[in-house]
């Protein structure tokens, strides 16, 4: 979970920076806050974390599910990751987006199809693809993107 969350946050930040979406906080600031007191970090309110890193808004990504699982026969694997995304104003604590804040955010899921290959290399590749696709889907919520804009080497939908 924590490793996936860090990787997803890093990937989203890279994409938002690449598309010049908005000024971004240095991700190392968040790491320093977490490393200073990991137990406290796990229970921090979104607004408290935002204040700790001098942010005006926080793109909050709640990673609900992330993993590679086998089927009942343990002869094939698939991956699935789900996250809920919202933007919170640090000063007021109000959800700025989506406007219907009762939902807790926009929920996105990605699935990696079943594969009969269960070797460690395949598992690692599935995991990397899953994290990359979820990150890409989240980042695309914040900039204009069209399918024809997809370039070779970009994360696939």
């Amino acid at each position: 979970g924590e490793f996936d969350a860090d990787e997803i946050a890093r990937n989203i930040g890279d994409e938002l920076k690449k598309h010049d979406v908005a000024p971004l906080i240095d991700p190392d600031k968040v790491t320093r806050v977490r490393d200073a007191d990991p137990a406290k970090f796990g229970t921090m309110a979104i607004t408290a974390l935002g204040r700790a890193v001098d942010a005006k808004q926080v793109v909050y990504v709640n990673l609900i599910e992330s993993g590679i699982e086998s089927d009942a026969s343990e002869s094939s694997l698939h991956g699935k990751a789900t996250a809920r995304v919202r933007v919170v104003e640090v000063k007021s604590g109000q959800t700025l987006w989506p406007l219907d804040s009762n939902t807790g955010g926009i929920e996105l899921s990605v699935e990696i199809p079943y594969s009969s290959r269960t070797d460690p290399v395949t598992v690692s590749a599935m995991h990397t693809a899953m994290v990359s696709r979820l990150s890409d889907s989240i980042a695309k919520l914040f900039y204009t993107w069209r399918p024809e804009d997809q370039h070779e080497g970009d994360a696939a939908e």
Side-chain angles (χ1 to χ4, degrees):
E2 187 175 310
F3 172 78
D4 287 351
D6 286 349
E7 185 69 19
I8 290 167
R10 195 171 19 262
N11 292 347
I12 293 168
D14 290 347
E15 282 298 303
L16 297 181
K17 191 178 298 181
K18 181 169 96 176
H19 292 279
D20 198 25
V21 172
L24 300 174
I25 299 296
D26 180 351
D28 290 340
K29 282 186 170 185
V30 176
T31 301
R32 286 192 293 274
V33 170
R34 181 183 62 208
D35 292 349
D37 191 345
K40 180 180 175 186
F41 181 83
T43 61
M44 284 181 90
I46 298 168
T47 53
L49 178 56
R51 283 190 297 275
V53 297
D54 299 319
K56 292 180 182 174
Q57 298 176 355
V58 173
V59 175
Y60 179 68
V61 178
N62 179 12
L63 185 59
I64 298 167
E65 169 184 26
S66 174
I68 306 295
E69 298 176 350
S70 63
D71 65 358
S73 69
E74 296 187 11
S75 62
S76 63
L77 301 171
H78 79 284
K80 183 174 182 184
T82 304
R84 193 167 287 124
V85 183
R86 64 185 167 131
V87 177
V88 176
E89 181 182 47
V90 172
K91 186 175 183 179
S92 69
Q94 296 295 310
T95 296
L96 299 175
W97 180 88
L99 296 177
D100 177 10
S101 61
N102 295 329
T103 64
I106 299 292
E107 191 170 297
L108 297 170
S109 288
V110 297
E111 291 195 44
I112 304 299
Y114 278 93
S115 171
S116 59
R117 296 181 55 199
T118 60
D119 60 278
V121 172
T122 300
V123 171
S124 178
M126 289 176 82
H127 185 262
T128 298
M130 179 185 66
V131 167
S132 178
R133 289 179 185 174
L134 183 61
S135 303
D136 189 56
S137 295
I138 293 168
K140 285 177 179 168
L141 293 171
F142 298 99
Y143 62 88
T144 303
W145 178 87
R146 300 168 304 174
E148 58 269 20
D149 294 336
Q150 191 78 23
H151 301 291
E152 189 174 324
D154 287 351
E157 260 308 291

